[in-house]
Amino acid sequence: MLKAGKSARRATFLRSSGASLATRIAPRNARTTAQLQPFFIRSNGYHDSAEYGCISPPRVKAEGYSAEELRNRHANANLLQLVSAYRRYGHLSSNLDPLGMQKSELLEELSAGTYGLGKDSDVFDIKGIVAPSNGLPASASLSAIVSALQKTYCRNISYEFEHIESRAVRQWFAHSVESLGGFDASPRYGRYHELLSKVEIFEQYLQKKLPNVKRYGLEGSEAIAVLLDQVIYEGAQQGIVDVVAGLSHRGRMSFLATLFGYPKDELLRKLRGGSEFPDDSPWTGDMLVDLAKPGSVRYDDLDATVNVDVLWNACHLESGTPVAMGKSRVKDVNIARTKKSKDHTIGDHVLALSVHGDSSFAGQGVVAESLGMSGLAHFTNGGTVHIVINNQIGYTTPASHTRMTRYASDIAKFADIPIIHVNGEHPEELARAAHLAVSYRQKFRKDIVIDVWTFRKRGHNEMDEPSFTQPAMYSAINKHVSAPAKFEEKLISSGHMTKEAANVVKQEWLASLNEAFAASETCVATEPTRAPRWRLLKSSANYPVEKTTGVSIDMLYEVGVKSVAPGESVKVHPRIERFHIKPRLKRLQEGQAVDWATAEALAFGTLLKEGYNVRLSGQDVGRGTFSQRHAMFVCQDTEQVYVPLNHMDDGQCSSKQQLGKLEVVNSNLCEEAVVGFEYGVAVEDPFTLTIWEAQFGDFYNNSQTIVDGYIASGETKWGQQNGLVMLLPHGFDGGGPDHSSCRIERHLMLSNDPVDEHPVALPNIYVAHPSTPAQFFHLMRRQMKRNFRKPLIVAGPKTMLRLANATSLLSEMGPGTRFKPVLDDPSINDPRAVKRVMLVSGKLYYDLAKLKSEHPLGEHAAIVRVEELSPFPREELYNVLSQYTNASDFVWVQEEPRNSGAYAFAAPRVKRLLPAHAELRYVGRSEHAATCSGVETQQAAEHAELTRCAFDGLRGLVADLVIDNISIQHDQHQSRDEPVASVISAGASSHRWSNRQIYAAQSSDQ
Ligand SMILES: Cc1ncc(C[n+]2csc(CCOP(=O)(O)OP(=O)(O)O)c2C)c(N)n1
């Protein structure tokens, strides 16, 4: 529509800028009007999609405009500008705050005059400009168009999607949003009313009955229950059978009671201080705000039941976000595998639903980490629906201080995630948001955020006084009529429901609460249902029987050869050929001992052959930090990735074969979210060997929250086992602080292995510091071959990866072999000649063994390796130590400073095994604030001194050695007797072996 005069000139300007936009997005079938250079979006392909393509989300192409639509867009470019402004800025003018406390400012971008569009009565062809199904006629007046845009973008629901890079998404969103008027929520009004009433009554009931219990209630945000329900309902209509629900602390009680079917009597029992587990259960339970139990939601009208796997999570805000992602991904893939779905797209069966608080979503870094990896090929779960309970406050901190941007959801924009903002007082709009969100997720298989503006009726918890800090807000809240009451009123006044019917719903619910409250006095909590896969395993509460983990030499040989076989079309880098493939083949063919990387490949390959999956995740794990692994070859011509262990047999990864798959996950540069994700995989699938490897062990501590709150304590709190392996490269080799120590001491501190008694149960966490490839091979296989699951921390190799002595023969991995928690000194011919026993872990062994072999009195020192630290191998160590009947000096030698490493954990346990009056000495660095020196020469000097000190005083000890009445004479000259660092007492002279510390229980059930 053209205008006269000034406005016409402005319109011409606008039209030309509009035309260039249109040209940029011109479809193939339309003729462009301007002779402009084409523009291109440049991007890189993901180079292992062929290897794992079956689980990638689909790529959706944008729809083009017809020539007629395009002509209309050119002709009405000024209208197009206005419509675009609504799509981009409409949310700024929307009515989101139920308390109405926000200040208003004039928004010029939404004014028609800004674009030269003056008269309300002017009529425009809307073809190609506004979605056709938005209720407008094909030719509409400006006032009708503005009114439709206002209604769509500026009321109680609004959207942010114009920041999305993909035109397909932007087009789809605009079209869907502008057609949402057609979405009719009224058939489910009864259900919404029921949920709203139940939440409101439940919260009021608890306030009355248990006023001193902190429940972090949902009052002020009741309608979020409607949103959750509608998301699941929409999912159910689109084939979702399982939802993994990561819940916030806020409202959890209400969600569990009203939606997810947590037995109300059991819930009230927990609220009254009881346990969520049966009385005889070994699990310690968790706080109310972290309570979980698998449940389900039934929709009779769809004849569908959706399982809801409510996630157990640590109270560290948002730490459950990546866990839900990992769990839902593997759950979905496993359902597809079970169904043998041929054309499975990730997210077909399982939907992740993540509920957040506004301050947490904005503030906790793990949210950004999780969103940032949500679309990565090895982390996608087909899209999580994120719901932010935006009550505009965090504890006592107002929104304006919890973030510096407008929305709590702003962090999602960096990850190209669309956002729906809704005023949380309008159940119909929440239903609309759910419909849009699930439709988006199903089509694009990506994350989406629904930011629901609500308020918090009471304090942070029910015992707080919120007016101390927010008097104005709480003055408004105290006058506010609740959303459930408003909705009921609306239903009654519009004739959707009678007052009587509404009352019946409420009375029945109240009666059921009273009944449950009475029952909670005596009811017994039921065990949470275990997923079928977990039912195949045992509880680890008692010592289970360990199996051998060796395999036939033929199989080892075959896997070894295939582990370095490049596919026919893959051109391998010549240095990999020379230094990796050929040496491995040569060693195997000549029967020589193999290195660490080979043993690892043998462990993985043999597990795959037995049908287990392996998921190896971490930064640069495919090649390996130290360029040692090469689990994937990258074709030098095409950059195509090839994982040899996935091609050991024809069709290995097809559904016909029962063999497992190795997923090599070169992760993003992140620890907390990735470890949380892998924990989610491990708790969902006990038959996938799930491994996270740190680039250097030191960096694991970015994931300490996950280690503490989930990996180490999940089974104790929730009875939920996990077999996650953390490979943490460790060793003092001159790498400097932050590249030397995986903080063994911290992992050991988490272990519940008792000091004083023989353990009656397995510890919560296994910690190993192995010294040979074969030992590592067995550790990996043991994780899967056991009939229970436990997390395993491995202080892994760095220099040992290429140490000639740190190699193992295939026979050490052959039939009948297994992991040995303690390795005796293989060089000892006569144990009676041993006067000093050195206890050591990891690579230090090789340095000490070398010195011993060069030492004139080396035969009198035994170097015993403690390969597993938790559980502390009491019996195995005792058996080894007690052969050294003449030993009087026992030394713990370690590289780590005395305030780190295994010494503090091991010392009291070792002491209980020693002969009466014998002490354990410490040889190592003294206490130090940093893990080690950053000066390479100093580090080397310390190391030389440390290893030398381990042999100090040997002459003196040997001087009085008498074996079979033959006195052994040595030079009495004694070298420096004081070790470099601390020494715990000298060896005792009078000693007598006693097995008092080896408890009877050990022999009975091993
Ligand atoms: C990592 C972490 N830091 C601090 C806390 C203590 N804390 C519990 S809830 C809360 C406020 C959360 O605010 P918000 O996310 O807005 O949720 P709301 O309680 O308002 O629903 C805080 C600080 C915690 N649980 N975890």
Side-chain angles (χ1 to χ4, degrees), residues 326-327 330-331 333-334 337 531 533-534 537 611-614 678-690 721-724 784 789:
K327 200 170 199 303
V330 72
K331 200 185 264 286
V333 171
N334 283 341
R337 279 198 188 128
R533 284 166 177 267
W534 281 101
L537 295 163
Y612 299 97
N613 294 309
V614 179
E678 304 308 337
Y679 169 81
V681 172
V683 290
E684 176 60 29
D685 188 356
F687 298 105
T688 289
L689 174 62
T690 311
Q721 295 184 14
N722 79 88
L724 184 71
M784 289 292 102
R789 295 290 178 263

Side-chain angles (χ1 to χ4, degrees), residues 7 24 36 58 75 146 197-198 207 209 245 258 295 389 402 421 593 612 622 647 670 882 909 929 949 951:
S7 59
R24 233 184 297 154
L36 294 176
V146 168
S197 307
K198 282 183 169 179
Q207 187 63 27
K209 290 276 193 187
T258 64
I389 306 182
T402 60
H421 304 285
Y612 299 97
H647 299 274
C670 155
S882 57
R909 290 166 176 80
C949 280
F951 291 90

Side-chain angles (χ1 to χ4, degrees), residues 574-593:
R575 281 174 55 201
I576 292 184
E577 180 78 41
R578 197 162 148 217
F579 297 113
H580 181 73
I581 300 179
K582 284 196 174 150
R584 182 174 294 183
L585 290 175
K586 185 168 181 288
R587 283 177 169 274
L588 288 166
Q589 280 152 5
E590 293 176 359
Q592 293 178 37

